[in-house]
Amino acid sequence: MKLILLGPPGAGKGTQCKRIVERYGLVHLSSGDILRAERAAGTELGKKAQSFMDSGGLVPDDLIISMMAGAMTKAKGGYVLDGFPRTVVQAEGLEKALKKAGQTIDAVVDLQVDDAVISARMTGRRSCPKCGAVYHVENLKPKKAGQCDKNCGALVQREDDKLEVVANRLKTYHQQTAVVVGYYQKAGNPILRINADQPIDQVTKTVLEKLDSLKK
Ligand code: AP5
């Protein structure tokens, strides 16, 4: 199965992807996680991406398309694309990469949440810099406050989860990314629209039920 997970920042894409990949044995390809790993490793790509990420803007399309096409080539079997494509140009770039690989997307999952809910989710998010696990100070608490459940050490707040950057990320989403769903609708791909303003387990239940019936 090859899936695209779309939705505004903080919609729960990463949280749901971890559960989807576990259930179906897929590879999780998150453009944000790959960029953060590039930054941590101090690569050229990471350095180029830094200022865009810190301000809540988008990293240039050409860099993202080649980065994700490379990641897709390495993934054996099925995968979930998380946070990519984020513009129509990226969707067209993905289309070319899929054609070249003889692959097609089985479904697009669109997590829908209002802006008002997003700010609280993002400012309360805490992440593990070592294993990538994601928690929330209210909605998904670690067993011990401030510490990763997998004994990695202290949790951190992402720089781009500060209130002023969150506002810009939402603006970027509405200006450049929201239209991507329409691109796939026009192309005739199955779109699974999910009300993601529900408790995490309920969102997972709805997503998995829809994916199960798609598989049948
Ligand atoms: P990226 O890391 O992709 O950020 P994003 O899309 O803004 O998404 P997030 O990771 O913030 O949120 P999420 O939807 O995964 O939510 P999560 O599950 O963590 O991108 C970062 C930056 O990189 C971008 O701003 C851009 O600069 C650059 N970039 C990345 N991809 C790019 C691309 N394709 N093109 C150009 N630039 C790109 O959940 C959030 C919090 O809410 C967590 O604490 C979680 O516990 C909680 N939560 C989740 N679900 C629920 C729920 N149902 N109820 C209550 N709480 C919940």
Side-chain angles (χ1 to χ4, degrees):
M1 192 153 51
K2 295 184 178 61
L3 304 171
I4 295 176
L5 212 77
L6 297 176
K13 300 184 294 297
T15 303
Q16 297 302 330
C17 270
K18 287 191 175 76
R19 296 168 176 212
I20 295 170
V21 300
E22 210 170 285
R23 164 78 162 249
Y24 301 108
L26 307 174
V27 180
H28 181 187
L29 299 177
S30 156
S31 49
D33 286 351
I34 298 173
L35 287 169
R36 279 183 286 279
E38 295 280 342
R39 277 177 65 163
T43 65
E44 263 322 293
L45 172 58
K47 285 179 197 154
K48 282 182 190 161
Q50 180 143 6
S51 62
F52 299 102
M53 296 174 78
D54 287 347
S55 67
L58 293 184
V59 177
D61 288 331
D62 54 336
L63 296 179
I64 293 290
I65 293 166
S66 63
M67 176 186 92
M68 292 307 286
M72 284 159 56
T73 311
K74 280 185 215 144
K76 300 274 169 268
Y79 50 75
V80 190
L81 297 174
D82 166 5
F84 173 79
R86 248 174 162 98
T87 63
V88 170
V89 173
Q90 289 183 20
E92 289 165 352
L94 170 60
E95 202 50 45
K96 278 188 200 147
L98 288 168
K99 243 186 207 151
K100 205 169 154 194
Q103 297 177 355
T104 49
I105 293 296
D106 296 294
V108 175
V109 180
D110 182 28
L111 297 183
Q112 304 180 324
V113 195
D114 286 341
D115 287 7
V117 179
I118 301 281
S119 293
R121 283 197 189 173
M122 287 167 63
T123 49
R125 171 167 50 191
R126 298 293 180 270
S127 318
C128 174
K130 290 207 178 125
C131 75
V134 174
Y135 304 87
H136 191 279
V137 293
E138 296 294 338
N139 308 329
L140 195 62
K141 295 181 183 177
K143 287 181 191 131
K144 191 175 166 208
Q147 298 290 316
C148 181
D149 289 353
K150 291 168 194 159
N151 293 324
C152 302
L155 300 175
V156 297
Q157 183 177 29
R158 266 170 51 178
E159 276 302 313
D160 61 349
D161 278 349
K162 308 256 162 80
L163 208 54
E164 56 284 7
V165 187
V166 167
N168 206 26
R169 288 167 67 193
L170 277 170
K171 199 168 143 202
T172 303
Y173 171 78
H174 289 297
Q175 286 176 345
Q176 301 184 64
T177 306
V179 291
V180 173
V181 179
Y183 172 93
Y184 286 106
Q185 197 167 9
K186 233 181 184 174
N189 291 81
I191 316 266
L192 311 183
R193 289 191 170 79
I194 310 288
N195 171 14
D197 186 7
Q198 302 179 84
I200 295 174
D201 289 344
Q202 184 56 45
V203 177
T204 307
K205 189 169 174 280
T206 312
V207 171
L208 296 182
E209 275 171 7
K210 291 204 179 203
L211 288 174
D212 280 348
S213 55
L214 193 82
K215 274 191 96 179
K216 280 178 203 154

